[in-house]
Amino acid sequence: MDTKNEEMEIDSKEDEFLTHVETEFIGREFDMQAIAKAWKYHRILGLFGLRSVGKSRLVHVFLSRYITDVTLLDIDLKQFGNISALYSYFCIQLGTRVVYDAHKSDWWIQHIVKELIHKNDKDFVIVFDNTEDFQEVKGTTARDLFLSLSWNIIKRCNNVKVIITSTTSVKFVAKTFFSYTLEPLTFTDSCHLLRSVAPDINFGEYEDAIVTLSDGLPLLILMIGSELKNNDEMTPCHMVQCLQTSRLKTLSDTLYPKEDRIADVYKSFIDRLALKYKEHLTVLDYIPGSFSVDECREIIDVETTEAMVKFKTIKPLLDRHVLDRDSATKRLNIQGILRECLKSYYTVKDLPKVRARYSKIFTAVMVRISSRLYTPEYTKAVAELTIEYPNLQKLLTDVEYTTQDTYHFFIKVATDCTGLVDNFMAGEGEVFYQGCMKIADMYGKEIDRANVHIAVGSFYTNVKGPRTGKQCHLEQGADNYDAALNVLEKYGKSLQLATANQRKGWNLLMQGKNLAATVFLKNAFDLSNSSGTDFQSIVLQSLNSLGITNTVLGRFDEAEKYHFEALRRRKQIQGETHPFVGACLNNIGIMYYQKGDWHKALEFYEAGLDIKRKNQTPAWSLVNSLSNTANMYSETGESAKAMQLLNEALELLNKEKLPPKESFALIYDTIGKVYRRDENLTSAEDMFQKAINIRGEISMENVTYLESLVHLADIHKRQKHYISCIKVSNKALQIKETAEKAMPQNPFVKECFECLAEVYNLSGSNDKYIETLEKLQSELIRLERVHLDHGNDRDLLKVRKEMQSVTETIQRVSYETKSR
């Protein structure tokens, strides 16, 4: 037979191997009715029983039959090794950023609860499936945190109902909680299910014995039927003998006498697999989450077509119910009980080679996702990331097993996937990068170490620095960039050298060291400008950053040159309507706004916003444009237009899978400013407080947190609530030194002293008034030094004028006080 024709025939029937008929749902009508009745009166339902008794299937069938118009979060806790992984996954599902180190306290629970409260326009059903590990195996801390999460959700989120399935019962308040024990299938239903699985088998006198020995466990019945159907040598008589000598062990095995523990049943089923299937299964178990057919082919190292793998490996495992297949995603998984059996009784043959293949497979997956994450394919990339998340977590943790043959995979992840790691896997990022640094020292060349230094620098610059608000982390980022530059500069022009210069420039920009930033950004531009297409992204990022830096410095002619060159190149490379062109237009609008040309600012804001709306622009980018344009409308007296855009931004964020929390805070702060301009002080107060709450959750040391506190203090001053104003101002000044280190040029400390001084003046507290003016004077002197260092002539002139005015005021008030 012609091999090529045979493969073509198989390919033409690609989905036929997966016409794996879903077993009919048998019985459970009484259980279904009991749960449906309880659903009307209870917020949290617990479904408990033996492992593999059918709890998960019953929940899914119940929801599909009875529950509509809800957002389902189906969370299988078996795939999470710890609270950090559960928290990260929850953030992905709810569309919020993972907050670094949040899992180290119970703060993460409040984070999840608040995100659910924010989404009160939706009704949620959260299914916590297979929760027994978090109740018993992972320790009391994990148990208490999980139960606290469940209780806080149903206590505070009126739009959420929770279903828990477990082998171990839990208790909540009776009025809210409905506990239901799912018993094994009745004898009649077990017979019905067995016959439906193996309709052509003549069970004869052995049917009753087989059904009795199955203990009414649906999964065991399915496996018995499949084995009888697919194994000609296994007769009903032999099956009875097998079941009598070994039965499957469940997670709740301590509830049974030793002779009734049924773990050996699953082991015997695995043992009866052909040797190659058994070996394949143990290798597949190395993948912690679900996997595609192609990933299956690569991990078992079969040199054949995907179609042949489907028919020669996957179909037999599916037929014997040792693999599950998700009909929606077409991904495969090993049933949880089998995974435990495999880990207990079997070892992976040639584990180092399996780890090497794993590293190769999921490095490619991670690079593929990363390359699309900040493109118009963002939504698809995030969807794939959600599915592959546990597998990528394992990839990062496997860095500890790196050998000389595999280290280059991890160096590639560190080099090409920093954005993905920094933004979505920050909990694993620091340990991963430490591991990369170690293996680079052991196996790599100094170029490899330089690439890792760039990745570590990005982690400290874009993750730890912004999230902690600590200047030391930005400085650590800069130190890592310097270490990379010291190596790369010896080798001459390269993409890595351009990248290190660009990222060092961005780091310095974040530190407020704008003059120094321009040096590195120009280096990056010069290295990239005449190079190939690989350098184009560095060219564009450098031009954008140079435009931003010069805008901050007040060098508007320079800023205009860089921004418009970036715009020209983006249009040439990416097309007239690419969303990044919209971002460039928005930056030009910011430049004109800072310059005081409001007409042009609004023109570019609107042009950028129009492009972003027409494309699959990431939410944070579109929200920034909506905020800027709304602020401009408000400045020009068009508050109604401003509010329309800001409401659009909130609606967008609520729909987004991964909305940055800071984006919500930005919009609330902007709404507050619109209300303030309209003298709607009560509403402004509410909005600024919302911004403070969110920014405080991110970090109480961030400059944006200080900014919103100062805005709120100003509102209290306008309301003549002087005591409240003083209280909020003092709270803001508690992070004065931190804010000045994080952003030396920030004007918010100055504005805070100005607000306090005005309050003390209005309330007649002359001593406090003079004391605050003197503190304001000191702050202006500090800003003068900063602007001198940064070469910011525009703001330097403003500060000096203010210094003169404050000095004259101090002299006048002091003279008047002495004259009394």
Side-chain angles (χ1 to χ4, degrees), residues 281-489:
L281 194 60
T282 57
V283 170
L284 288 172
D285 184 52
Y286 194 75
I287 303 176
S290 65
F291 45 89
S292 67
V293 173
D294 192 54
E295 290 165 356
C296 169
R297 179 182 63 81
E298 291 188 64
I299 195 73
I300 62 178
D301 196 27
V302 176
E303 295 181 2
T304 185
T305 65
E306 183 176 305
M308 290 300 293
V309 170
K310 289 178 179 179
F311 280 92
K312 298 290 188 180
T313 300
I314 296 174
K315 186 176 185 296
L317 295 176
L318 280 170
D319 287 344
R320 288 165 173 78
H321 292 274
V322 292
L323 283 185
D324 293 330
R325 178 179 181 268
D326 187 301
S327 58
T329 64
K330 298 183 179 180
R331 290 177 69 86
L332 304 153
N333 212 335
I334 301 173
Q335 203 273 345
I337 297 295
L338 276 178
R339 282 193 182 274
E340 295 173 14
C341 190
L342 288 165
K343 286 178 173 60
S344 298
Y345 297 104
Y346 305 93
T347 57
V348 178
K349 184 179 179 181
D350 206 346
L351 183 57
K353 287 187 177 180
V354 172
R355 284 180 176 144
R357 294 197 292 270
Y358 189 92
S359 300
K360 178 182 177 181
I361 295 164
F362 289 100
T363 292
V365 170
M366 200 163 190
V367 170
R368 181 178 70 239
I369 294 173
S370 182
S371 67
R372 297 184 299 147
L373 199 54
Y374 297 107
T375 71
E377 294 186 70
Y378 169 83
T379 302
K380 291 181 180 178
V382 170
E384 186 176 0
L385 174 60
T386 300
I387 292 172
E388 296 282 10
Y389 195 83
N391 302 331
L392 299 184
Q393 276 188 311
K394 186 179 183 68
L395 175 67
L396 296 188
T397 57
D398 265 10
V399 70
E400 67 174 303
Y401 302 117
T402 306
T403 65
Q404 192 165 4
D405 294 332
T406 61
Y407 87 92
H408 59 281
F409 293 124
F410 296 96
I411 299 299
K412 186 168 184 61
V413 170
T415 303
D416 295 351
C417 305
T418 52
L420 189 156
V421 175
D422 291 352
N423 290 304
F424 300 100
M425 307 184 78
E428 294 78 25
E430 189 165 15
V431 173
F432 170 68
Y433 288 135
Q434 287 173 353
C436 286
M437 191 63 71
K438 181 179 178 181
I439 63 174
D441 289 336
M442 291 174 62
Y443 306 116
K445 302 174 182 178
E446 62 176 358
I447 287 288
D448 294 328
R449 290 193 291 274
N451 286 334
V452 176
H453 275 301
I454 294 174
V456 175
S458 296
F459 183 78
Y460 279 104
T461 300
N462 300 317
V463 178
K464 296 204 75 171
R467 293 181 181 179
T468 64
K470 293 181 179 179
Q471 178 75 4
C472 64
H473 289 145
L474 292 175
E475 292 170 351
Q476 283 179 272
D479 290 343
N480 275 278
Y481 291 136
D482 287 338
L485 287 166
N486 289 337
V487 172
L488 296 170
E489 285 170 350

Side-chain angles (χ1 to χ4, degrees), residues 220-280:
L220 184 52
I221 295 171
L222 294 177
M223 292 188 70
I224 292 169
S226 294
E227 190 64 21
L228 288 168
K229 182 174 64 173
N230 292 290
N231 189 341
D232 293 336
E233 296 180 2
M234 177 63 71
T235 66
C237 177
H238 292 152
M239 178 60 69
V240 171
Q241 293 173 357
C242 176
L243 293 176
Q244 286 176 334
T245 56
S246 60
R247 304 211 310 168
L248 177 67
K249 180 181 180 181
T250 67
L251 285 175
S252 54
D253 59 353
T254 55
L255 300 177
Y256 295 94
K258 184 175 181 180
E259 62 270 18
D260 287 338
R261 298 173 187 173
I262 56 178
D264 289 342
V265 172
Y266 273 96
K267 185 177 184 302
S268 67
F269 274 106
I270 295 174
D271 283 341
R272 284 194 306 278
L273 290 173
L275 179 61
K276 65 175 181 178
Y277 295 145
K278 192 157 42 179
E279 290 179 349
H280 290 168

